[in-house]
Every structure is written in structure tokens, then in C-alpha cells.
Amino acid sequence: QVQLVESGGGLVQAGGSLRLSCAASGRTFSSYVMGWFRQAPGKEREFVATISGRGLSTYYAHSVKGRFTISRDNAKNTVYLQMNSLKPEDTAVYYCAVAPGSWSAPDTEKEYAWWGQGTQVTVSS
């Protein structure tokens, strides 16, 4: 069982930036593949980004590539999502999650076993 706590959400104007954090429990954080998903009102949850255990590999959804950066600090058991050039369509609840197993660039919900409670990001136009 892994516990995840997201933070860093808030209200920002279009074109602005936010950095989300996700703190994880457990002594084997560096072995976890981590991911970020988001869910906008009335829409299904969608993949945003994922990062391998050592942080050497990343994979992004097309809609955020070039604007968002996923990173991790294994010494702090934390994964980050730096979001730049934010757009109103980025408004959603953002969730971090853990995908058991080795790196395979997981981009579907079913590949993730543990989820945080989410943090709201609102981008005003």
C-alpha cells in the first residue's frame, strides 16, 4: 500500500505557471513508476505524464508536451509536475499515481494501482 498526497494546485491566469507536488509513503519510492492524470468536469480522467523510477525516462500526453515537465526527487519521495503556459483547458483535478512493475511508459488508468486524492488546478482566461 502506497499513500500519495498531492499539493500545489490553485487558481492561475492563462499563460501562467504552477508546480504540483506529490509526496509518497514507502521506503522503495525509487522503484515506483509515477504518473500524473487529470479529470476535468464532465470528462473522463486522462493521462498527463509519467516518469520512470530513476527519472531517466519520461512520457507525455500530446496535449501537454512542451509545456509540462514531470520530475522526481527520490531523496524526498516526491514527484513534481511543472506546468507552464497554462491554458483554460488545463483546468482539472490533477492526480498522481503509482504504476507497479518496470518501466513501460504507462498511460492508462488500469496500469496504476495507487492514487492520491487530487489537487484542483483552475486556469482563468
Side-chain angles (χ1 to χ4, degrees):
Q1 184 74 20
V2 179
Q3 292 184 329
L4 303 168
V5 179
E6 301 98 334
S7 61
L11 174 64
V12 63
Q13 289 187 333
S17 298
L18 279 176
R19 188 177 81 156
L20 306 183
S21 300
C22 173
S25 65
R27 293 177 290 179
T28 58
F29 178 74
S30 61
S31 69
Y32 301 156
V33 174
M34 301 295 298
W36 286 97
F37 285 72
R38 66 186 182 186
Q39 186 168 22
K43 295 187 177 181
E44 294 186 350
R45 190 153 54 183
E46 65 174 4
F47 168 76
V48 175
T50 183
I51 188 168
S52 61
R54 294 172 61 193
L56 299 179
S57 299
T58 58
Y59 177 65
Y60 296 90
H62 178 74
S63 59
V64 307
K65 194 171 185 179
R67 300 189 297 124
F68 291 10
T69 301
I70 188 170
S71 63
R72 64 192 298 158
D73 184 339
N74 287 342
K76 295 182 178 180
N77 277 22
T78 301
V79 63
Y80 304 98
L81 185 68
Q82 177 67 44
M83 305 185 295
N84 298 329
S85 302
L86 282 161
K87 305 175 182 180
E89 51 263 44
D90 294 318
T91 294
V93 177
Y94 283 71
Y95 300 88
C96 69
V98 176
S102 57
W103 172 250
S104 62
D107 60 358
T108 63
E109 287 189 70
K110 64 181 181 181
E111 296 175 272
Y112 290 81
W114 298 286
W115 295 80
Q117 83 290 348
T119 186
Q120 176 70 47
V121 172
T122 302
V123 185
S124 63
S125 57

